[in-house]
Amino acid sequence: CENVDSVIGFITIKGQRERLDNFCGSQLPNQIMSNEHRMTVIFQSFGSRPPSVKGFRAIYQFVTNFGIPSGRQDPQGVCTFIYNSSEVSNGTFSTPNYPGVYPRDTECHYLFYGKSNEKIYIEFAYFDVEGVPPCLSDTASDYVEFSNFRTVDRKIPRHCGNLRPTKIESDADFFRVSFKSNDKFDGTGFEAFYQFRNNPDPFTVRQVSAVQNKQNAHRSSPVTAMLSLVLLWLLVADH
């Protein structure tokens, strides 16, 4: 869209105006979102154009929930959303502005609180987070991070790129998903499904297994006895 009629979006990052993107042609652009309370949109035209070209019409909206419709927003955490098993047992969550382009220089946290006997299961339906694995700062990568704690969980690697993460399972009744975008690139983010499920107590599982083993042993006893009788009868008959 250089040197042609176009629409340009600008945002402010660390006090500097940065170009978000150029839009031209007839294809409808993805929805865009600023990283703070302001955005500048400029229309530029270069001379004559066909009568069929009518320009553009756009809808704007000021939001405080980052375009994330699910969960309960934590007023102290800005882009922090809480999902509690006592309120909803399953649902979806996504990056800001999904399915549009997520904002730059943004950090969001999704906190899942299950009951004491529950685990959290997460499966991604869509994943497009700009970056190169292992999604470190030296590659200017945006990333999604998972943790069984409020701090970093080093046993679970960061995720970025276009490859959807495999199914995620928490260790216990708390889980945190974090999304971080830098000030350079962007993507259309992710959408994921979450579910709280009962987590069987290991002691109960061992008890159930022991009972099942006993039942299996009792069920096999009559069969063994019947086979013994048949074999004995055949031996006696031969004599």
Side-chain angles (χ1 to χ4, degrees):
C1 298
E2 298 295 334
N3 300 319
V4 297
D5 296 357
S6 61
V7 175
I8 310 173
F10 290 93
I11 56 175
T12 302
I13 297 178
K14 298 174 183 176
Q16 300 294 320
R17 192 170 84 159
E18 301 283 347
R19 186 171 71 174
L20 184 60
D21 208 344
N22 280 19
F23 306 102
C24 62
S26 58
Q27 185 174 355
L28 195 65
N30 284 324
Q31 180 174 290
I32 58 175
M33 174 181 279
S34 66
N35 59 308
E36 55 166 25
H37 61 281
R38 53 189 166 182
M39 176 192 292
T40 302
V41 178
I42 296 177
F43 168 70
Q44 59 181 9
S45 174
F46 294 88
S48 61
R49 68 199 59 81
S52 60
V53 177
K54 303 295 184 182
F56 76 91
R57 180 174 179 269
I59 299 172
Y60 71 90
Q61 184 179 14
F62 295 97
V63 298
T64 57
N65 68 346
F66 291 80
I68 299 175
S70 65
R72 175 165 47 86
Q73 189 171 11
D74 184 352
Q76 298 181 345
V78 189
C79 190
T80 298
F81 292 82
I82 297 172
Y83 301 83
N84 200 311
S85 173
S86 62
E87 298 171 358
V88 181
S89 62
N90 62 75
T92 61
F93 67 104
S94 60
T95 41
N97 197 42
Y98 180 84
V101 178
Y102 56 71
R104 296 180 187 176
D105 197 30
T106 299
E107 183 171 350
C108 294
H109 301 280
Y110 311 82
L111 307 179
F112 297 86
Y113 294 91
K115 298 172 185 174
S116 59
N117 63 332
E118 290 180 330
K119 283 186 175 184
I120 300 95
Y121 294 80
I122 295 174
E123 185 171 0
F124 285 83
Y126 178 84
F127 197 85
D128 173 34
V129 176
E130 179 67 35
V132 180
C135 318
L136 302 177
S137 57
D138 57 356
T139 58
S141 293
D142 303 336
Y143 61 84
V144 176
E145 189 174 71
F146 307 101
S147 178
N148 288 286
F149 318 102
R150 289 187 173 275
T151 56
V152 175
D153 191 341
R154 300 191 182 279
K155 74 175 184 178
I156 308 178
R158 290 177 175 178
H159 281 75
C160 60
N162 301 109
L163 186 63
R164 286 185 296 172
T166 56
K167 293 181 180 180
I168 305 294
E169 176 184 342
S170 68
D171 288 346
D173 57 357
F174 173 80
F175 201 65
R176 175 176 62 86
V177 178
S178 297
F179 165 74
K180 178 73 170 67
S181 64
N182 59 34
D183 58 0
K184 296 179 176 61
F185 307 108
D186 40 44
T188 46
F190 69 78
E191 182 181 39
F193 175 79
Y194 72 89
Q195 185 177 33
F196 296 97
R197 298 184 198 167
N198 286 333
N199 177 27
D201 178 69
F203 179 72
T204 304
V205 171
R206 286 196 297 271
Q207 282 188 320
V208 171
S209 298
V211 170
Q212 288 177 340
N213 289 336
K214 286 183 179 179
Q215 290 175 342
N216 291 336
H218 286 307
R219 280 196 294 266
S220 64
S221 297
V223 177
T224 304
M226 184 177 66
L227 288 174
S228 300
L229 286 172
V230 171
L231 289 173
L232 178 62
W233 182 84
L234 288 174
L235 288 172
V236 172
D238 287 341
H239 288 291

